[in-house]
PDB file of all heavy atoms in Angstrom:
ATOM      1  N   SER A 186     -38.441  73.648 -72.366  1.00  0.00           N
ATOM      2  CA  SER A 186     -38.462  72.298 -71.786  1.00  0.00           C
ATOM      3  C   SER A 186     -39.252  71.299 -72.629  1.00  0.00           C
ATOM      4  O   SER A 186     -39.033  70.101 -72.532  1.00  0.00           O
ATOM      5  CB  SER A 186     -39.025  72.334 -70.368  1.00  0.00           C
ATOM      6  OG  SER A 186     -40.355  72.765 -70.379  1.00  0.00           O
ATOM      7  N   HIS A 227     -36.300  73.959 -81.689  1.00  0.00           N
ATOM      8  CA  HIS A 227     -35.781  74.971 -80.757  1.00  0.00           C
ATOM      9  C   HIS A 227     -34.514  75.583 -81.330  1.00  0.00           C
ATOM     10  O   HIS A 227     -34.316  76.801 -81.269  1.00  0.00           O
ATOM     11  CB  HIS A 227     -35.476  74.353 -79.387  1.00  0.00           C
ATOM     12  CG  HIS A 227     -36.680  74.053 -78.557  1.00  0.00           C
ATOM     13  ND1 HIS A 227     -37.670  74.996 -78.298  1.00  0.00           N
ATOM     14  CD2 HIS A 227     -37.078  72.926 -77.914  1.00  0.00           C
ATOM     15  CE1 HIS A 227     -38.588  74.459 -77.538  1.00  0.00           C
ATOM     16  NE2 HIS A 227     -38.265  73.203 -77.288  1.00  0.00           N
ATOM     17  N   ALA A 251     -29.095  89.744 -65.880  1.00  0.00           N
ATOM     18  CA  ALA A 251     -28.979  88.319 -65.578  1.00  0.00           C
ATOM     19  C   ALA A 251     -29.793  87.507 -66.601  1.00  0.00           C
ATOM     20  O   ALA A 251     -30.664  88.071 -67.299  1.00  0.00           O
ATOM     21  CB  ALA A 251     -29.490  88.018 -64.175  1.00  0.00           C
ATOM     22  N   ASN A 279     -20.783  88.652 -69.343  1.00  0.00           N
ATOM     23  CA  ASN A 279     -20.247  88.514 -67.999  1.00  0.00           C
ATOM     24  C   ASN A 279     -21.301  88.849 -66.935  1.00  0.00           C
ATOM     25  O   ASN A 279     -21.060  89.609 -65.997  1.00  0.00           O
ATOM     26  CB  ASN A 279     -18.996  89.418 -67.839  1.00  0.00           C
ATOM     27  CG  ASN A 279     -18.165  88.985 -66.660  1.00  0.00           C
ATOM     28  OD1 ASN A 279     -18.265  87.830 -66.221  1.00  0.00           O
ATOM     29  ND2 ASN A 279     -17.349  89.903 -66.133  1.00  0.00           N
ATOM     30  N   HIS A 291     -43.699  77.611 -62.792  1.00  0.00           N
ATOM     31  CA  HIS A 291     -45.159  77.693 -62.899  1.00  0.00           C
ATOM     32  C   HIS A 291     -45.773  78.336 -61.642  1.00  0.00           C
ATOM     33  O   HIS A 291     -46.751  79.070 -61.738  1.00  0.00           O
ATOM     34  CB  HIS A 291     -45.774  76.322 -63.126  1.00  0.00           C
ATOM     35  CG  HIS A 291     -45.894  75.925 -64.574  1.00  0.00           C
ATOM     36  ND1 HIS A 291     -46.612  76.685 -65.482  1.00  0.00           N
ATOM     37  CD2 HIS A 291     -45.414  74.880 -65.273  1.00  0.00           C
ATOM     38  CE1 HIS A 291     -46.551  76.104 -66.681  1.00  0.00           C
ATOM     39  NE2 HIS A 291     -45.845  74.992 -66.583  1.00  0.00           N
ATOM     40  N   LEU A 304     -49.412  85.103 -49.367  1.00  0.00           N
ATOM     41  CA  LEU A 304     -48.942  83.818 -48.854  1.00  0.00           C
ATOM     42  C   LEU A 304     -49.226  83.718 -47.374  1.00  0.00           C
ATOM     43  O   LEU A 304     -49.306  84.735 -46.707  1.00  0.00           O
ATOM     44  CB  LEU A 304     -47.435  83.660 -49.128  1.00  0.00           C
ATOM     45  CG  LEU A 304     -47.076  83.639 -50.619  1.00  0.00           C
ATOM     46  CD1 LEU A 304     -45.560  83.603 -50.797  1.00  0.00           C
ATOM     47  CD2 LEU A 304     -47.712  82.424 -51.308  1.00  0.00           C
ATOM     48  N   GLY A 331     -49.880  66.604 -52.299  1.00  0.00           N
ATOM     49  CA  GLY A 331     -50.331  65.461 -53.069  1.00  0.00           C
ATOM     50  C   GLY A 331     -49.869  65.595 -54.494  1.00  0.00           C
ATOM     51  O   GLY A 331     -49.538  66.693 -54.944  1.00  0.00           O
ATOM     52  N   ALA A 417     -62.485  68.856 -63.870  1.00  0.00           N
ATOM     53  CA  ALA A 417     -62.495  70.182 -63.273  1.00  0.00           C
ATOM     54  C   ALA A 417     -63.132  70.177 -61.891  1.00  0.00           C
ATOM     55  O   ALA A 417     -62.619  70.779 -60.935  1.00  0.00           O
ATOM     56  CB  ALA A 417     -63.229  71.160 -64.204  1.00  0.00           C
ATOM     57  N   ALA A 428     -57.148  73.580 -48.985  1.00  0.00           N
ATOM     58  CA  ALA A 428     -57.124  74.943 -48.432  1.00  0.00           C
ATOM     59  C   ALA A 428     -57.737  74.963 -47.033  1.00  0.00           C
ATOM     60  O   ALA A 428     -57.206  75.593 -46.120  1.00  0.00           O
ATOM     61  CB  ALA A 428     -57.878  75.891 -49.375  1.00  0.00           C
ATOM     62  N   ARG A 429     -58.852  74.233 -46.891  1.00  0.00           N
ATOM     63  CA  ARG A 429     -59.522  74.177 -45.578  1.00  0.00           C
ATOM     64  C   ARG A 429     -58.636  73.479 -44.563  1.00  0.00           C
ATOM     65  O   ARG A 429     -58.412  73.954 -43.443  1.00  0.00           O
ATOM     66  CB  ARG A 429     -60.830  73.353 -45.722  1.00  0.00           C
ATOM     67  CG  ARG A 429     -62.067  74.198 -45.749  1.00  0.00           C
ATOM     68  CD  ARG A 429     -63.298  73.309 -45.917  1.00  0.00           C
ATOM     69  NE  ARG A 429     -63.791  73.314 -47.281  1.00  0.00           N
ATOM     70  CZ  ARG A 429     -64.012  72.234 -48.023  1.00  0.00           C
ATOM     71  NH1 ARG A 429     -63.794  71.015 -47.535  1.00  0.00           N
ATOM     72  NH2 ARG A 429     -64.471  72.344 -49.231  1.00  0.00           N
ATOM     73  N   GLY A 460     -65.180  82.114 -48.809  1.00  0.00           N
ATOM     74  CA  GLY A 460     -64.431  83.276 -48.339  1.00  0.00           C
ATOM     75  C   GLY A 460     -62.929  83.212 -48.589  1.00  0.00           C
ATOM     76  O   GLY A 460     -62.147  83.813 -47.885  1.00  0.00           O
ATOM     77  N   HIS A 485     -34.127  83.493 -57.394  1.00  0.00           N
ATOM     78  CA  HIS A 485     -32.990  82.646 -56.986  1.00  0.00           C
ATOM     79  C   HIS A 485     -31.693  83.451 -56.954  1.00  0.00           C
ATOM     80  O   HIS A 485     -30.863  83.254 -56.068  1.00  0.00           O
ATOM     81  CB  HIS A 485     -32.880  81.439 -57.912  1.00  0.00           C
ATOM     82  CG  HIS A 485     -33.776  80.332 -57.496  1.00  0.00           C
ATOM     83  ND1 HIS A 485     -33.554  79.550 -56.387  1.00  0.00           N
ATOM     84  CD2 HIS A 485     -34.968  79.903 -58.017  1.00  0.00           C
ATOM     85  CE1 HIS A 485     -34.547  78.686 -56.230  1.00  0.00           C
ATOM     86  NE2 HIS A 485     -35.430  78.871 -57.212  1.00  0.00           N
ATOM     87  N   MET A 494     -22.826  76.034 -64.170  1.00  0.00           N
ATOM     88  CA  MET A 494     -22.765  74.568 -64.224  1.00  0.00           C
ATOM     89  C   MET A 494     -24.165  73.958 -64.253  1.00  0.00           C
ATOM     90  O   MET A 494     -24.309  72.732 -64.389  1.00  0.00           O
ATOM     91  CB  MET A 494     -21.990  74.003 -63.025  1.00  0.00           C
ATOM     92  CG  MET A 494     -20.566  74.470 -62.951  1.00  0.00           C
ATOM     93  SD  MET A 494     -19.656  74.088 -64.443  1.00  0.00           S
ATOM     94  CE  MET A 494     -19.426  72.341 -64.232  1.00  0.00           C
TER      95      MET A 494
END
Side-chain angles (χ1 to χ4, degrees):
S186 63
H227 285 309
N279 199 21
H291 270 302
L304 296 175
R429 256 179 258 127
H485 276 287
M494 299 305 285

